Amino acid sequence: MIDRNWRRIATGCGLAAPVVALGVIVLATLIASPETFTWRGRALSDMGRYEARTFLLFNGGLILGGLLGVPFGWRLWLESRNVLERLGVVLLWAATVGLIGIGVFFLGHTEFYLDTYLHGVAAVLYFGAAPFAQWVYGSGLVLADEQRLGLYSLWLGIVHPLVWLGWLLSRTGTSDPTAWFAVPEFVAALAFGLWIGLLALEQYQRADSKPGKQRF
């Protein structure tokens, strides 16, 4: 009973994680002042600067969204059927640690704590690990005869390099090479969040279909 309850909670965390993280990002873009954030002139992380009105909302939402992803990874680990699925879970955890790090090590955090600037490291970890988690775990799903969900995982993973490549090509020869940087950031976060949501929904439906099992 205890194990079943923990599994239910972990699945619920997977359903909530993308809603929290993506919802906070969207809400922050709506209430941020133009000096803090614009889609054309700023990165999403600018909304997490200490002087921004969205400081607590943005960073707190990313931290909470990342923390919710940790127990969901545990649920996926328990359900893993091959090495690729387990490796995919490890990469998912790496991405969630990166997401938490973006909030903890916000832009300008060295003015308050630590001498080493870690925001860039956290961002690279998140955006770098996320697509590989989707590709590797998706490949494991295909091997486990879950072709539909596996292909969704692979396709959503492909969104990451495509959107970054498209952004880079659009910046070639322009006077402002960093313009619209927030757009590929958000699209990549959306692709990862949708994937987490799909996996959590699949876990919910799978548990519900097993005889003698409660939902989740």
Side-chain angles (χ1 to χ4, degrees):
M1 176 65 72
I2 294 177
D3 180 63
R4 183 168 58 196
N5 289 337
W6 279 114
R7 288 171 185 249
R8 292 172 60 190
I9 293 171
T11 301
C13 287
L15 292 169
V19 174
V20 170
L22 293 171
V24 161
I25 292 174
V26 172
L27 180 59
T29 64
L30 295 176
I31 67 176
S33 63
E35 296 78 19
T36 300
F37 176 79
T38 63
W39 285 101
R40 190 186 190 285
R42 297 283 188 170
L44 293 178
S45 293
D46 282 305
M47 294 185 291
R49 292 183 181 275
Y50 181 74
E51 62 273 14
R53 69 173 68 159
T54 51
F55 171 74
L56 291 177
L57 173 67
F58 183 80
N59 294 316
L62 295 190
I63 293 170
L64 178 58
L67 289 174
L68 287 170
V70 174
F72 180 62
W74 167 78
R75 175 65 193 270
L76 293 180
W77 180 273
L78 294 180
E79 300 292 333
S80 296
R81 293 151 295 186
N82 53 61
V83 174
L84 287 178
E85 286 188 344
R86 286 189 286 274
L87 180 56
V89 172
V90 172
L91 290 167
L92 183 153
W93 274 327
T96 58
V97 168
L99 184 62
I100 295 168
I102 292 173
V104 172
F105 305 116
F106 54 88
L107 287 176
H109 73 85
T110 53
E111 298 180 14
F112 302 91
Y113 52 84
L114 296 182
D115 295 328
T116 303
Y117 178 73
L118 295 176
H119 181 83
V121 175
V124 169
L125 178 60
Y126 172 68
F127 288 110
F132 284 99
Q134 293 170 264
W135 293 330
V136 174
Y137 192 84
S139 298
L141 288 171
V142 172
L143 289 179
D145 293 326
E146 290 197 49
Q147 284 82 4
R148 179 183 57 84
L149 187 58
L151 288 176
Y152 287 160
S153 301
L154 295 171
W155 291 338
L156 285 170
I158 292 172
V159 169
H160 297 253
L162 287 180
V163 70
W164 284 111
L165 178 60
W167 175 78
L168 286 172
L169 292 176
S170 71
R171 297 295 87 213
T172 303
T174 62
S175 59
D176 187 0
T178 61
W180 303 106
F181 186 73
V183 173
E185 284 187 307
F186 181 75
V187 174
L190 181 61
F192 187 66
L194 287 175
W195 177 63
I196 295 293
L198 285 174
L199 294 183
L201 184 60
E202 179 68 20
Q203 290 296 324
Y204 175 88
Q205 294 173 338
R206 183 184 300 172
D208 189 44
S209 66
K210 293 179 181 178
K213 295 287 185 179
Q214 295 182 2
R215 284 183 180 264
F216 295 87

